[in-house]
Amino acid sequence: MASSTSVDQLDIFPEELVQGENDFHSVTEMVCGVLEAPKPPKSWYVIFTTAVALLGVLGAMILYLITTGVGVWGNNQPVAWGWPIVNFVFWVGIGHAGTLISAVLFLFRQDWRTGINRFSEAMTIFAVICAGMFPAIHVGRIWVIWWVFPIPNQMSMWPNFRSPLLWDVFAVSTYFSVSLLFWYMGLVPDLATVRDRAKTKAKKFWYGLFAMGWNGSNRHWHRYERAYLILAALATPLVLSVHSVVSFDFATSQLPGWHTTILPPYFVAGAIFSGFAMVLTLSIPARKMFGLEELITLRHIDNMCKVIMATGMMVGYAYSMEFFMAWYSGNAYEGFTFVNRAFGPYWWGYWIMVSCNVLTPQIFWWKKARRNLALVFIISIFVNIGMWFERFVIVVTSLNRDFLPSSWHYFSPTWVDVLTLLGSFGLFFTLFMLFCRYLPQVAISEVKNVMPQAHPHLDDH
Amino acid sequence: MNRSASTKRYWRSLNDLGQTTEFKELMANEFQSEPEEDWTQTSRRRFLQLMGASVALATASCRWDQEKLLPVVSRTPGTVPGTPRAFATILNRDGFAEGVMVTSFDGHPTKIEGNAAHPESLGATSATAQAATLGLYDPDRSRSAASYDAGVESEVSHSACAAALGGIQRSGAGAKVAVLGEPSTSPSLARMKAAFLKAHPSATWVDYSATARNAEVEGCRLAFNQAARPFYSMSNAKIIVALDDDFLSEGPSAVRLTRETAAKRKPNAEWMSRIYAVESNFSVTGGFADHRLPLRSSDIGTFVAALSAALSGGTAPALHAKGADKFLAAVADDLKHHKGAAVITCGPNQPAEVHAHVAALNVQIGALNRTVSYLPATAVGSSMDDVKALVGKMNAGEIESLVILGGNPVFTMPADLDFAAALGKVTNSMHLSEYRDETSRKCSWHMPMTHDLEAWNDGLAADGTRSIGQPLIAPLWKGKSACEMISMMLGNNESSLDIVRQTAGLSDDAWHNALLDGMVSGSSATALKVSLASLPDLAPAAEGLELRFIPHFAIRDGRYANLGWLQELPDPMSKLTWDNAALMSFATGERLGVKHEGMVKLDVNGRTLEVAVYLMPGHADDSITLAYGYGRTEAGHVAGLNDDAVETVGFNTYLLRGSDAMHVTAVSATAASGHYRLASTQDHFAMDAIGAEGTQERLPDLVKEGSLAEFNKDPQFAKAAADFWGPEMTLWKELDQDKVTDHKWGMSIDLASCTGCGNCTIACQSENNVAVVGKEQVLRGREMAWIRMDRYFLGDVENPTAINQPINCAHCELAPCENVCPVAATTHSQEGLNDMVYNRCIGTRYCANNCPYKVRRFNYFNFNKDAAKEGNEVLAMAANPDVTVRSRGVMEKCSFCVQRIERARIDTRNAERETRIQDGVVQVACEQVCPADAITFGDLLDKESRVLKTQADDRAYKLLPELNHKPRISFLARVRNPHPSLEAVAVSEEVVSHG
């Protein structure tokens, strides 16, 4: 195994996507070694046990919620949507990075995506699972939640297609299914690799089953690449549409602070912003833990930081535009909402949001900062904290003080709210740790594609 | 029975069949794996035999319980099972009769309405009357007689308890017998009392009530040498001056006075009244007044003297309150110019001398028999001297038998008398009471008392009308009424019907009419002829901090503490629920060093109590108002029950109240440590500057008011630009309103009439089975009221004005809630109702988010769990059978009483075979109960409907019309009639931080 490098490369030649003295075989060894190691690293156990414990907490909280009622949360009148919806938007937003890396960057032929796309696509799927859970459990009567699906029934009732919540149902389920398909399809050649290297009968069977008889023939590769391109093309609009639809939950309502056309692009930018931050939060420790530093290099980290900066500035622009429009519109309710956000009873949430989202990523203007792993890791966490608070500020402050002052009421979360959010992280990390242990974290075939060895006749190599 | 050996025999009966050999063989052969017969070869006869056997087997094996169902051959006339009927009756309100009409479903009462024919009801009721059904079905009511021996309770039979009264019967002159009752106007009770005192001349009989309004009677005695009560008539009053008198909310005539006063507040009528209020605490009347002066109760006497001087010359004493001089000058000016059309009222907290002087002033301004008359005093309690004498006798051990008829003297008696200790010295005491309350537990015996709705009773209304009350249901727990109890004490066993019938002394026809009407028509009292006597001097005003004791507006003296509806009904001005608090001004709070929701220790002559603090805008300085009725320890599972570790609700003000000063007393107050969360439905937390500013900015658009001058200049001052916009484009295909032919339901609410009393909230709760959520949930903001009363303060915190606005679902034609429900659980009916379909709702709560009025209420928990608990089954009877009880997880909101609309539709079709429901047939619950007649509901397609006229009124405006959801409710702007010399407080002024 090559040692990790943290030395700046000269910019004369674009930095190598795969660092160290690596060839096809060593790449395979690096990635499959993680799965095939008899025991995962100790840190894996630590994280996995914590995650499973939190998952248990989540289960308990959901059980308590369903048996007792939505009142166990802090929701009230007028703040009928509280942490669960904030969490929903938070998790769905995080998922967007994976799809962007997988699909959009693929169409834009950004080769550096190959080191992280498997990883981030998995993150997307798990994030969407966490996200999808929240709207399901936040309803008052979960035992009839199936009524939101357009299933022919004895009541002759369709759901109400005018409702943004229903568009959510379609958007998120489409997102989940397309992402899952895309991810799985990309996994097939790698699963075949693992299958071929498998030493035990069980491993051979299971990996073989999911590898679907891949034999690496030209025909298979041809179909694979075609299908990959089609799915990438299908998934690309989802990056923009899914979070736009989620933003419609708010944008199509009448509430000042929600009812604004800036919400769709603002949400999408924010989603990519938080998603990339989460990819960084996950990949920086993971590459160390599982010895993948040569595949997930500083160049990858660098690029991701640049994306964070760009989307962070878009988000910052959106914040200032909201304020401007609130003033320019002359609408007293709109103007009040924004002044209230910044200086009212939830001012602390607002300023956490601004400092985490707008101020902290500015440090990435400096290359040294982008390459400082500890700093990047910390900033990525701040970004996600900031993005959670952004959704909190949007949902809670707009509801808390709307048109009639008589209905204004402070919202405060309960311990069930807090534990449910923590529990959702437990769900996410449980799935993610299982992924890290049992599935190839890096897209082996795709990485090989961008190594110099894959293009022997190009470059002056 | 002949049996032949031949198998070919028809069987004549199943018994027959059972005896055939064939059959026996068949039975023996239980498992016929190989058929004995080849079915294809069977003859028809054989087949029938075998089939018959199966039938026999079947019938032989199936035995079910035999029940005899006998249909009613002739139904009770006028009843159709499942349809409601209405009966007139009365409810007790501080000793006076409140005429009501009660809706009864299949023999049990479910809803209280006003009695439109009754002169003191005029179709409306008080808030406490609305809770009467809940009181009737309270599971905590006593269900049997009990005896107490050294604090140990044992259930006993009625007869055992009744036998204990034998001692009284045999007591001869009755020197050792005492009866403690409550002041009442009931002629039957008076007759029974007289009969008892005739039989036992030496017995002591004292009537005590914590809420007795005796000062005004004393005042009349001082002024006119006659015991009388003032009877106000606001229909002729152009100028009303209320001195420490919340006449719109307190007192037996509150409902009628509200109607009369509100009727004279229309700016486009011939004349509009002007109302002045001088008071300490901000009351409903103070909120309704055109001008209000915060003044300590103790200073009212000085005000009266100053007013007298202003009217008739003489030196006026100095008034130290800010703005008082200007105020007084305006009042005097108005009174001078409206002789004969003005009235001054005086509240029950004022001492008799002040009442006397006010009576004199009324005579002076020509109010006598124009706006105020004096009726014979009724429901006068015993004097405090008599009460003390009784307690003295009890303490001396001179009383062997004491019967307490109703009330709760251990809880409500003045603290210095220590009634509980005195009761301990009585050999044999019995308490007739609906609950096993604080008093019952200290007595030897407890007898359950009938609820007003369970017994025959009678009473006089405030105007003297003889009112008869019939029971709506047989006593649930075999209780006795007070009259029946006295009859028992006399050794008779008359029923309440006999007693009341005999007292009434009416012919059969007249009796029948009295029952139909709930009263004897035209029996109101005649005004007394009065002439002024020489008045005593007014005592100089007591300086320093004063403490005012007032009955809680809903809980009263504590008797209704266990009724959740009344606990959760927000106080009209403070919006407090589930607690009482020491109300004081901001300045006083600052001086004492206490904060809002902090604690203060009050000390009255050595008796102390730590109470939570509520800083009330507009409260007079150096004055603390504290409502009594809270702090009960044996009320029940709602308000406090020591036995079951149910926490006591509120603070026990009676610990401070002494016999020497029952209304206003000097007090010393020191700040105490601790923070006490007060559940207020509005102002849930102290408003910050941003919030206050935001409220100020938008209130002129939301709750519109203007002065009479503004109205005269531009009658349409309240209309916003958006009110004039034509139809706007929408995304969705709208219901073509031109094609609607049946009905177009709409509502208007006249803010000029609305006093903010909140009766609409509780009436709706009763009608629509709205749940009580409890203090914790109110603190979280989850109260379930379908119609709420919003109250805003305008102006500086020392002397603001207040304005009210009832908010319920506006049933918008383009409802923002309907679009966003993912499962189409809220839809629009052809007639314009926004229908909430409970069984389709999955509870995403998006509809609540999108409602700009925030009228939608979500069932965060199962708030009806209590009714399912063992022993609480009776609670279910309080529910309106026509309305679904909602489960956990569904949204609910005002439905424009759709059940009433549907019933009216059925009745109209059945009766007249036409489908148009006439105007006025459907009265929604809030509209029906409103004493001010502020709410009008009806069909906007009906050219003759009242609501069409009110919605077309100049003052009509819609709330937030610019959102283009086309609400069906119009508000009519409030118009104030300020005196030219006093500032007309315009709505655009600065708003106080308690917005």
Side-chain angles (χ1 to χ4, degrees):
Chain A
M1 281 291 186
S3 60
S4 65
T5 62
S6 55
V7 176
D8 273 333
Q9 291 272 336
L10 290 172
D11 283 328
I12 301 172
F13 300 109
E15 201 175 328
E16 292 291 345
L17 282 172
V18 178
Q19 293 288 310
E21 304 283 321
N22 278 310
D23 60 0
F24 286 170
H25 181 68
S26 64
V27 167
T28 311
E29 285 290 324
M30 249 195 279
V31 181
C32 294
V34 175
L35 300 106
E36 292 161 2
K39 271 184 155 29
K42 265 219 172 52
S43 44
W44 184 92
Y45 281 108
V46 172
I47 300 177
F48 186 66
T49 353
T50 321
V52 171
L54 283 177
L55 179 61
V57 167
L58 178 69
M61 290 300 105
I62 293 180
L63 197 63
Y64 180 44
L65 167 77
I66 294 177
T67 52
T68 315
V70 177
V72 302
W73 289 333
N75 301 32
N76 60 22
Q77 268 116 211
V79 187
W81 282 355
W83 280 36
I85 295 301
V86 173
N87 298 342
F88 162 63
V89 183
F90 174 71
W91 282 115
V92 148
I94 283 178
H96 281 61
T99 323
L100 186 128
I101 293 171
S102 291
V104 176
L105 292 183
F106 175 76
L107 293 179
F108 287 168
R109 302 186 198 283
Q110 296 294 305
D111 290 337
W112 61 274
R113 62 178 273 283
T114 54
I116 49 172
N117 73 330
R118 172 67 43 73
F119 201 82
S120 42
E121 190 67 45
M123 179 202 79
T124 293
I125 290 169
F126 305 143
V128 175
I129 291 174
C130 289
M133 171 190 72
F134 279 106
I137 63 173
H138 99 117
V139 297
R141 298 203 299 161
I142 193 174
W143 45 96
V144 285
I145 185 79
W146 57 274
W147 287 344
V148 299
F149 296 109
I151 305 169
N153 54 55
Q154 84 284 9
M155 299 178 277
S156 301
M157 278 289 291
W158 289 120
N160 176 16
F161 295 103
R162 297 180 184 180
S163 166
L165 287 186
L166 203 71
W167 308 337
D168 260 358
V169 168
F170 296 135
V172 175
S173 40
T174 309
Y175 192 41
F176 181 69
S177 43
V178 171
S179 295
L180 188 66
L181 261 178
F182 194 22
W183 179 71
Y184 176 55
M185 218 202 44
L187 260 174
V188 166
D190 294 349
L191 288 176
T193 306
V194 180
R195 171 200 63 194
D196 293 339
R197 290 161 56 95
K199 298 276 192 302
T200 70
K201 231 187 158 109
K203 274 204 174 132
K204 224 180 177 64
F205 174 75
W206 286 109
Y207 286 108
L209 180 72
F210 287 105
M212 293 209 293
W214 176 270
N215 60 18
S217 71
N218 217 5
R219 192 171 291 188
H220 280 193
W221 277 113
H222 181 79
R223 286 180 186 146
Y224 170 84
E225 306 238 334
R226 266 277 102 99
Y228 200 93
L229 181 62
I230 292 173
L231 277 169
L234 277 177
T236 298
L238 285 180
V239 175
L240 297 171
S241 68
V242 171
H243 222 62
S244 298
V245 170
V246 169
S247 78
F248 287 160
D249 284 349
F250 309 108
T252 57
S253 79
Q254 290 206 315
L255 226 53
W258 281 13
H259 184 64
T260 159
T261 53
I262 203 177
L263 240 48
Y266 164 32
F267 265 45
V268 172
I272 298 168
F273 183 46
S274 68
F276 270 84
M278 184 59 96
V279 174
L280 281 171
T281 308
L282 293 173
S283 58
I284 290 175
R287 67 195 279 276
K288 188 108 199 229
M289 264 167 70
F290 301 108
L292 298 168
E293 289 114 327
E294 288 173 1
L295 295 174
I296 305 173
T297 65
L298 284 173
R299 180 171 158 197
H300 294 92
I301 309 283
D302 192 325
N303 287 345
M304 287 197 271
C305 290
K306 285 181 188 160
V307 175
I308 284 183
M309 249 195 30
T311 47
M313 289 200 289
M314 283 190 230
V315 166
Y317 173 77
Y319 293 159
S320 47
M321 268 305 112
E322 276 187 322
F323 258 96
F324 172 70
M325 277 306 173
W327 166 78
Y328 186 65
S329 68
N331 181 329
Y333 302 113
E334 193 77 23
F336 172 78
T337 300
F338 285 92
V339 172
N340 181 53
R341 276 190 191 175
F343 304 108
Y346 288 105
W347 62 270
W348 42 270
Y350 182 80
W351 292 106
I352 291 176
M353 168 184 102
V354 168
S355 50
C356 290
N357 291 349
V358 181
L359 298 179
T360 54
Q362 298 306 312
I363 204 166
F364 288 151
W365 285 108
W366 288 274
K367 186 168 178 155
K368 253 209 156 79
R370 297 200 295 274
R371 301 242 164 181
N372 182 338
L373 291 178
L375 186 67
V376 173
F377 181 72
I378 291 171
I379 302 277
S380 70
I381 299 211
F382 272 126
V383 166
N384 267 324
I385 292 175
M387 284 311 292
W388 190 92
F389 270 96
E390 179 194 287
R391 277 54 170 267
F392 176 81
V393 163
I394 292 174
V395 172
V396 174
T397 63
S398 314
L399 284 173
N400 154 250
R401 288 184 169 179
D402 69 319
F403 294 100
L404 301 184
S406 61
S407 19
W408 294 358
H409 192 179
Y410 197 71
F411 161 88
S412 52
T414 61
W415 57 275
V416 183
D417 277 312
V418 177
L419 287 182
T420 309
L421 174 59
L422 286 178
S424 70
F425 278 94
L427 172 63
F428 179 79
F429 279 102
T430 303
L431 292 169
F432 199 76
M433 285 296 113
L434 289 174
F435 159 76
C436 285
R437 174 68 179 132
Y438 294 108
L439 289 173
Q441 291 181 36
V442 175
I444 306 170
S445 56
E446 296 186 61
V447 164
K448 288 182 186 169
N449 222 8
V450 303
M451 291 171 71
Q453 288 87 335
H455 310 281
H457 303 297
L458 297 173
D459 316 322
D460 37 331
H461 195 86
Chain B
M1 205 177 309
N2 285 333
R3 277 189 188 76
S4 98
S6 155
T7 57
K8 290 200 169 129
R9 186 176 79 88
Y10 294 102
W11 48 272
R12 291 199 188 89
S13 71
L14 295 174
N15 271 344
D16 248 3
L17 180 65
Q19 303 307 320
T20 58
T21 354
E22 296 283 306
F23 186 77
K24 284 184 184 152
E25 272 176 37
L26 197 67
M27 291 298 287
N29 228 341
E30 199 183 322
F31 300 106
Q32 311 211 3
S33 47
E34 263 181 295
E36 268 200 349
E37 315 240 356
D38 180 2
W39 286 105
T40 56
Q41 304 297 329
T42 313
S43 71
R44 224 167 91 233
R45 196 171 292 172
R46 182 70 193 129
F47 183 79
L48 284 172
Q49 280 175 339
L50 285 171
M51 286 303 105
S54 343
V55 172
L57 280 169
T59 50
S61 61
C62 288
R63 282 250 176 268
W64 52 84
D65 284 339
Q66 287 198 321
E67 261 183 36
K68 291 199 186 329
L69 294 171
L70 303 172
V72 175
V73 174
S74 44
R75 207 196 285 151
T76 317
T79 59
V80 176
T83 49
R85 307 180 69 197
F87 296 97
T89 184
I90 59 173
L91 295 172
N92 177 21
R93 182 178 162 86
D94 292 333
F96 290 87
E98 188 176 351
V100 294
M101 204 56 111
V102 183
T103 307
S104 168
F105 264 97
D106 296 341
H108 73 276
T110 53
K111 178 77 170 62
I112 312 287
E113 302 294 354
N115 184 347
H118 198 288
E120 282 290 321
S121 165
L122 302 171
T125 77
S126 63
T128 47
Q130 287 299 312
T133 48
L134 192 63
L136 171 66
Y137 300 120
D138 192 348
D140 287 319
R141 274 181 69 196
S142 171
R143 301 189 184 190
S144 69
S147 78
Y148 292 87
D149 193 5
V152 177
E153 184 181 88
S154 354
E155 312 275 315
V156 298
S157 66
H158 273 61
S159 38
C161 195
L165 291 172
I168 296 177
Q169 214 189 313
R170 295 184 292 274
S171 68
K176 293 195 191 285
V177 173
V179 178
L180 178 60
E182 295 195 287
S184 171
T185 54
S186 165
S188 290
L189 191 60
R191 181 170 72 81
M192 300 303 290
K193 173 177 173 181
F196 182 84
L197 287 173
K198 191 160 166 216
H200 308 284
S202 306
T204 317
W205 188 299
V206 170
D207 289 322
Y208 171 78
S209 162
T211 54
R213 293 164 75 101
N214 287 348
E216 60 185 14
V217 177
E218 265 308 301
C220 286
R221 217 194 292 273
L222 290 172
F224 306 124
N225 285 330
Q226 283 190 67
R229 285 194 191 276
F231 180 81
Y232 299 107
S233 167
M234 301 306 190
S235 309
N236 304 321
K238 288 192 178 145
I239 305 292
I240 302 171
V241 183
L243 302 178
D244 199 17
D245 191 14
D246 188 10
F247 68 87
L248 291 176
S249 172
E250 281 293 315
S253 284
V255 170
R256 175 186 57 87
L257 289 175
T258 304
R259 179 66 58 88
E260 289 179 0
T261 313
K264 295 302 177 203
R265 301 293 298 176
K266 315 279 182 207
N268 48 355
E270 200 194 311
W271 56 265
M272 185 176 161
S273 66
R274 181 174 295 147
I275 307 176
Y276 294 89
V278 182
E279 56 181 19
S280 177
N281 183 29
F282 215 130
S283 72
V284 168
T285 308
F288 198 64
D290 295 303
H291 297 293
R292 179 177 176 272
L293 178 70
L295 193 69
R296 293 160 73 235
S297 284
S298 312
D299 291 332
I300 296 286
T302 317
F303 186 91
V304 170
L307 183 59
S308 180
L311 285 177
S312 43
T315 45
L319 283 168
H320 299 295
K322 194 167 133 191
D325 295 325
K326 245 177 130 184
F327 189 94
L328 186 78
V331 171
D333 177 54
D334 265 339
L335 289 177
K336 279 193 201 139
H337 287 107
H338 293 95
K339 285 260 162 74
V343 68
I344 309 173
T345 78
C346 188
N349 265 17
Q350 290 300 310
E353 301 84 53
V354 176
H355 278 271
H357 278 259
V358 170
L361 276 176
N362 273 330
V363 171
Q364 189 185 341
I365 60 173
L368 195 56
N369 295 326
R370 299 293 305 279
T371 52
V372 62
S373 56
Y374 292 88
L375 302 182
T378 52
V380 186
S382 304
S383 66
M384 192 50 75
D385 288 335
D386 288 339
V387 174
K388 283 184 178 164
L390 170 63
V391 175
K393 279 196 196 158
M394 286 162 69
N395 273 322
E398 289 168 21
I399 304 292
E400 273 179 12
S401 303
L402 172 68
V403 176
I404 307 175
L405 300 172
N408 190 359
V410 166
F411 182 64
T412 63
M413 277 269 185
D416 56 330
L417 298 182
D418 201 355
F419 188 80
L423 194 51
K425 303 211 174 79
V426 173
T427 327
N428 227 351
S429 49
M430 183 179 301
H431 187 203
L432 177 71
S433 165
E434 289 180 45
Y435 297 82
R436 294 194 193 167
D437 53 22
E438 291 84 343
T439 305
S440 288
R441 283 160 202 270
K442 289 254 176 347
C443 288
S444 327
W445 299 91
H446 159 86
M447 175 75 93
M449 184 167 163
T450 50
H451 188 273
D452 278 341
L453 293 171
E454 288 175 328
W456 291 88
N457 42 33
D458 54 14
L460 303 179
D463 70 342
T465 302
R466 281 168 59 200
S467 313
I468 312 281
Q470 54 177 318
L472 272 285
I473 191 170
L476 290 172
W477 314 115
K478 300 205 284 273
K480 295 279 170 202
S481 71
C483 290
E484 286 174 337
M485 185 78 157
I486 302 174
S487 180
M488 281 160 66
M489 281 151 62
L490 288 170
N492 307 323
N493 238 328
E494 296 169 287
S495 68
S496 56
L497 170 57
D498 291 336
I499 297 171
V500 172
R501 183 85 203 254
Q502 202 190 336
T503 313
L506 296 168
S507 67
D508 281 344
D509 272 347
W511 171 252
H512 184 72
N513 285 336
L515 290 186
L516 273 179
D517 297 335
M519 60 178 175
V520 178
S521 295
S523 62
S524 50
T526 336
L528 296 169
K529 276 189 131 61
V530 293
S531 54
L532 275 176
S534 64
L535 300 172
D537 287 328
L538 286 166
E543 299 280 328
L545 191 60
E546 72 172 13
L547 177 64
R548 302 171 64 240
F549 300 107
I550 56 169
H552 187 263
F553 86 104
I555 308 295
R556 307 307 303 156
D557 60 350
R559 63 187 58 210
Y560 300 125
N562 208 42
L563 304 185
W565 295 351
L566 293 172
Q567 288 279 8
E568 207 152 281
L569 184 62
D571 178 279
M573 298 313 285
S574 67
K575 296 296 169 203
L576 264 186
T577 64
W578 293 98
D579 266 307
N580 54 344
L583 286 87
M584 62 181 78
S585 69
F586 282 69
T588 308
E590 209 178 300
R591 184 170 66 75
L592 294 174
V594 293
K595 285 207 189 80
H596 185 75
E597 288 188 337
M599 295 291 284
V600 67
K601 183 161 158 191
L602 300 174
D603 185 327
V604 178
N605 287 344
R607 300 184 295 269
T608 62
L609 179 70
E610 273 192 32
V611 192
V613 172
Y614 187 105
L615 296 182
M616 187 72 185
H619 201 288
D621 289 337
D622 282 333
S623 176
I624 297 179
T625 303
L626 188 56
Y628 50 79
Y630 279 88
R632 293 197 54 188
T633 49
E634 310 291 349
H637 288 86
V638 172
L641 195 60
N642 277 353
D643 288 352
D644 267 353
V646 177
E647 216 182 300
T648 297
V649 172
F651 305 94
N652 186 356
T653 309
Y654 288 115
L655 295 173
L656 293 174
R657 205 181 189 202
S659 56
D660 54 334
M662 292 282 279
H663 302 287
V664 184
T665 178
V667 68
S668 68
T670 42
S673 65
H675 176 252
Y676 189 89
R677 293 160 79 212
L678 289 170
S680 181
T681 56
Q682 218 177 315
D683 321 324
H684 292 279
F685 54 104
M687 191 79 70
D688 53 310
I690 300 281
E693 251 180 74
T695 309
Q696 161 202 343
E697 229 184 336
R698 65 190 66 185
L699 269 185
D701 291 327
L702 300 175
V703 196
K704 306 208 184 189
E705 62 166 350
S707 69
L708 187 57
E710 272 173 20
F711 174 81
N712 287 330
K713 202 164 97 179
D714 174 20
Q716 299 201 322
F717 76 93
K719 291 201 195 287
D723 279 312
F724 294 108
W725 291 347
E728 290 197 349
M729 269 178 60
T730 70
L731 281 179
W732 314 116
K733 184 153 169 261
E734 267 188 78
L735 177 67
D736 189 349
Q737 291 297 335
D738 294 328
K739 293 225 171 54
V740 174
T741 49
D742 280 340
H743 295 285
K744 191 171 159 180
W745 299 113
M747 183 187 269
S748 73
I749 299 181
D750 192 346
L751 297 179
S753 299
C754 174
T755 62
C757 67
N759 289 5
C760 48
T761 306
I762 191 171
C764 174
Q765 184 163 33
S766 174
E767 171 72 17
N768 292 297
N769 306 334
V770 177
V772 168
V773 301
K775 180 174 174 181
E776 270 307 307
Q777 296 302 306
V778 175
L779 279 169
R780 279 239 171 239
R782 295 175 181 161
E783 60 275 8
M784 299 298 285
W786 285 12
I787 179 167
R788 63 173 193 265
M789 182 63 67
D790 289 347
R791 179 271 300 124
Y792 300 103
F793 289 114
L794 303 129
D796 61 272
V797 76
E798 280 171 11
N799 190 6
T801 57
I803 188 162
N804 303 291
Q805 187 176 40
I807 302 282
N808 60 326
C809 174
H811 295 264
C812 309
E813 289 173 19
L814 286 178
C817 55
E818 289 170 10
N819 277 337
V820 297
C821 174
V823 289
T826 181
T827 54
H828 216 76
S829 82
Q830 286 288 110
E831 297 186 343
L833 255 50
N834 173 276
D835 291 328
M836 185 64 221
V837 185
Y838 306 124
N839 49 353
R840 178 71 176 168
C841 176
I842 61 172
T844 59
R845 308 183 294 287
Y846 197 165
C847 54
N849 290 341
N850 218 19
C851 174
Y853 307 137
K854 292 290 178 282
V855 291
R856 286 175 159 273
R857 303 280 125 178
F858 187 68
N859 285 279
Y860 278 104
F861 289 118
N862 178 1
F863 291 125
N864 293 302
K865 277 206 298 281
D866 279 343
K869 281 202 195 118
E870 209 192 305
N872 285 2
E873 298 83 359
V874 67
L875 203 50
M877 289 170 76
N880 181 351
D882 273 347
V883 178
T884 320
V885 173
R886 281 75 62 189
S887 84
R888 159 165 79 92
V890 299
M891 191 65 79
E892 59 182 59
K893 64 165 185 77
C894 161
S895 61
F896 267 177
C897 283
V898 63
Q899 69 277 6
R900 293 189 175 198
I901 296 175
E902 291 309 312
R903 239 186 223 292
R905 200 193 310 278
I906 294 170
D907 289 344
T908 312
R909 275 206 196 134
N910 285 346
E912 290 152 50
R913 300 189 187 287
E914 52 175 88
T915 53
R916 283 216 78 87
I917 304 171
Q918 299 302 306
D919 186 46
V921 169
V922 178
Q923 279 201 297
V924 295
C926 51
E927 176 194 17
Q928 193 166 7
V929 81
C930 179
D933 208 13
I935 302 179
T936 311
F937 176 81
D939 180 6
L940 292 167
L941 280 182
D942 181 350
K943 298 201 179 28
E944 305 301 314
S945 69
R946 298 159 295 142
V947 73
L948 189 62
K949 294 191 184 66
T950 47
Q951 282 210 358
D953 193 299
D954 282 329
R955 290 184 290 133
Y957 71 96
K958 298 257 157 104
L959 196 56
L960 299 170
E962 65 270 18
L963 297 179
N964 194 35
H965 47 274
K966 307 198 180 150
R968 283 280 178 89
I969 295 190
S970 289
F971 288 94
L972 272 61
R974 177 163 169 182
V975 177
R976 288 189 200 263
N977 186 8
H979 189 275
S981 74
L982 296 171
E983 284 170 50
V985 182
V987 174
S988 54
E989 281 186 28
E990 216 191 292
V991 171
V992 74
S993 64
H994 268 230

